[in-house]
Structures are given as structure tokens and as C-alpha cells.
Amino acid sequence: MTAIAFHASHEQIHPRALLEAVCHAEQVGFDAAMCSDHFAPWSERQGHSGFAWSWLGAALQATGLSFGVVNAPGQRYHPAIIAQAIGTLAAMYPGRFWAALGSGEAANEHVTGDAWPRKDVRNARLRECVEIIRALLAGEEVSHDGLVRVDRARLWTRPEQPPALVGAAVSVETARWCAEWADGLITVNAPTEHLRRMIDAYREAGGRGPVHLQVHLSWANTQAEAEAIAYDQWRSNVFAPPVCWDLATPEHFDVVSAQVPMSRLAEVVNISADLARHTAWLEDYINLGFDQIALHHVGQDQRPFLDAFGTQVLPKLPHP
């Protein structure tokens, strides 16, 4: 069966309210959770960006859910520090934590003042970081001189079993590349045929482990309200790579998204006041073979969404 998770969006919600939301998600029947890891929101209207790693410790303690996080090691985060963070959470909460690793976006990474590398360089840097993190979690002392540098690093607190390091991808090509190194795959909602090609590419290239899907959605009691929520909060997120990778500030995203039509937004967010329609979308994703689907209601008030989906959507889906 497919686990149905709650996605905690740090860009949109104060961390205290987000902790209350994930606790409520567990109470209404969600099986798991995951969160973003941003330094800045995608829009000034979103208005938040709490530190994911301190929040994860609180969330794992406050619930019995498993958690994942999407992280970009190599620039804002040194891979030895991320290995220590992963290792500590996995040691404290065995079997309940995983991390997805990606090459990042300038909106978060430019804060270091370092140059934003080309995509091929970022991918090469990510591979170095993955190998460094794996070696540290395995108990090795690591020294490395490459796109990142490490000097005699060793983790003194480690989990008995290293958690999964999942590859983040939005294209078929990247999904195939992730199969070389990842313990699983995570992507975002897209037309079902594209998602099928991504899963097939990952598996055919030897990809192992679970496949995860993050679903952006907007629900409210009326269609107009669902559309207004999505337009206010998520129209800055409609841009395909390389635009979403390379813009640097929330102001940039707000300028370029000022005239986004609702039809374009509906291509990346499942927008409907009809809970049966949302259920059907999720059934389609489940039928593709995803092991976990994380639901991200793009509004800032999570409780109405959680209550509605907990009572009228989750019971209709095959999940644990």
C-alpha cells in the first residue's frame, strides 16, 4: 500500500504552527510526513522560512510519524554537517528518518556569497557530497579535495542503520542519473505519463528503494476560494528549470509571476473544491506505483484541509 504523508512547507507557515499542523495530521490519519529545507520563501506573500533541522527534532519527538527532508548539500551546507544532522536524527529516531538530496536552487544557496555554479558542476558537487555523507554515516574518517573539501572528518554519533539517501528529480534524465547513487527517488506531481516515464527510467537504470511523490494541491469549500489560495501562494512556483534554479530572491519570483494565468497554475497544482476529484487524482498516482505520496496543500491554513482529507479522502485510499 501507498503511505500518505503530510508535507510541511517551511516557506509558508511559522514553525510553531507547522508543528501543530503535523501533529494534527497524525491525529486525522496521515501515515508519514516530510518537509522542505529553505533559507527563503518563493514569494514575499509566503513570508516564512524556518530552519528545517531544528524543527525536525521537535516534530519527530512530538509525533510517531516517519519524516523525510529535501536538502541540497555542497554550498549552504557542508556535507559533513549534513551527515552529522542526518546521523543524529536517525540515531535518536531509528527507522523514522530519510533525506532526499538535490543540487539546490540559487534562492537558497546564494546567501553564502559564493558563485552559483552551472548545473553540471552542481550535479558533480552533489555526487561528491553523497559519497562523503555515505562514508561518514558508515563510520569512516573522511578527507576529500574536490568541489568540496573535507579534512579528517568522523561522525562520533551514528545510527545503527544509515537512513536512506533519496534522489530528487523532476526530469526523466535526472531520474535515470539518480539510479546510479540513490536509495530511492522523489519527484513532484506532473502528468501521469511523465511520472510513469520517470519511474520506468529510474527502475530500468537499476534504481532501488521506494519512489516518493510530492503533490501540490489546493482545496477549499468553493472552487473560487481554492483558486484564490493557489494563486496567492503558489503562482511563483510554476516555472520550469532553469528559471526556478537560477532566480535569486523572492522579489525576483514575484516579478516574473505577476501575470501568470490560472491555467498555467493548474498545470502544477491540483486545484478543486471537489474532494472526489482530489481522491481520483491520488488514485491515479497510487496506480503508478508510488510508495509514498506527500500531500502539500498550498494554503497557509492547514487545519481545514487536514480535517477534510482525514475524514473524506484518506479512508478511500489504500494506505496503511
Side-chain angles (χ1 to χ4, degrees):
M1 291 189 288
T2 301
I4 306 299
F6 169 70
H7 177 75
S9 178
H10 283 289
E11 307 95 293
Q12 299 178 271
I13 302 168
H14 189 285
R16 185 172 57 247
L18 205 55
L19 184 60
E20 294 172 355
V22 77
C23 290
H24 193 60
E26 182 179 36
Q27 292 167 3
V28 300
F30 280 77
D31 307 307
M34 64 172 289
C35 76
S36 54
D37 179 5
H38 276 238
F39 195 86
W42 299 99
S43 165
E44 291 192 349
R45 293 181 306 278
Q46 293 176 351
H48 289 284
S49 218
F51 185 57
W53 294 92
S54 50
W55 183 88
L56 279 163
L60 282 157
Q61 180 64 27
T63 72
L65 300 175
S66 64
F67 278 80
V69 64
V70 182
N71 173 262
Q75 186 159 331
R76 180 169 47 118
Y77 292 114
H78 192 280
I81 301 304
I82 289 302
Q84 186 183 30
I86 291 171
T88 297
L89 288 177
M92 292 178 70
Y93 306 102
R96 291 178 53 201
F97 182 69
W98 54 271
L101 303 177
S103 58
E105 299 107 358
N108 299 310
E109 310 307 321
H110 77 90
V111 297
T112 65
D114 295 328
W116 181 235
R118 301 185 311 271
K119 177 61 173 172
D120 62 315
V121 177
R122 301 200 306 272
N123 281 354
R125 181 173 68 183
L126 174 60
R127 283 298 300 270
E128 289 186 19
C129 289
V130 169
E131 296 309 312
I132 291 164
I133 292 168
R134 283 199 197 284
L136 288 169
L137 289 171
E140 300 176 23
E141 181 179 283
V142 176
S143 293
H144 180 85
D145 293 291
L147 293 168
V148 293
R149 300 184 66 188
V150 184
D151 179 44
R152 294 167 292 180
R154 176 184 170 189
L155 291 186
W156 294 88
T157 298
R158 297 182 295 111
E160 291 186 10
Q161 293 293 327
L165 302 181
V166 174
V170 295
S171 70
V172 171
E173 294 75 19
T174 303
R176 187 176 294 112
W177 175 71
C178 286
E180 299 175 9
W181 58 266
D183 299 320
L185 181 73
I186 187 168
T187 189
V188 297
N189 56 308
T192 54
E193 186 52 41
H194 175 75
L195 294 175
R196 182 179 291 108
R197 290 198 302 271
M198 289 195 65
I199 294 173
D200 289 347
Y202 179 71
R203 295 301 190 202
E204 289 168 2
R208 61 188 184 275
V211 287
H212 301 252
L213 178 67
Q214 180 187 0
V215 175
H216 303 302
L217 65 94
S218 182
W219 172 84
N221 286 317
T222 69
Q223 184 68 23
E225 186 181 0
E227 291 177 356
I229 289 170
Y231 198 76
D232 177 71
Q233 285 292 295
W234 214 249
R235 71 176 183 267
S236 54
N237 293 65
V238 302
F239 303 104
V243 174
C244 60
W245 292 336
D246 292 341
L247 293 184
T249 69
E251 294 89 341
H252 290 165
F253 281 96
D254 282 337
V255 168
V256 300
S257 63
Q259 303 300 322
V260 168
M262 182 60 69
S263 59
R264 177 70 184 97
L265 184 59
E267 294 175 8
V268 299
V269 181
N270 292 345
I271 306 170
S272 180
D274 184 356
L275 290 170
R277 183 72 185 99
H278 284 287
T279 303
W281 273 319
L282 294 172
E283 288 173 340
D284 287 343
Y285 300 140
I286 289 170
N287 289 336
L288 289 174
F290 284 101
D291 298 287
Q292 179 172 299
I293 299 175
L295 307 188
H296 171 213
H297 171 53
V298 299
Q300 292 180 303
D301 184 2
Q302 294 292 306
R303 186 167 284 260
F305 148 71
L306 290 170
D307 287 339
F309 275 63
T311 58
Q312 300 184 59
V313 175
L314 297 189
K316 298 177 182 178
L317 299 175
H319 70 110

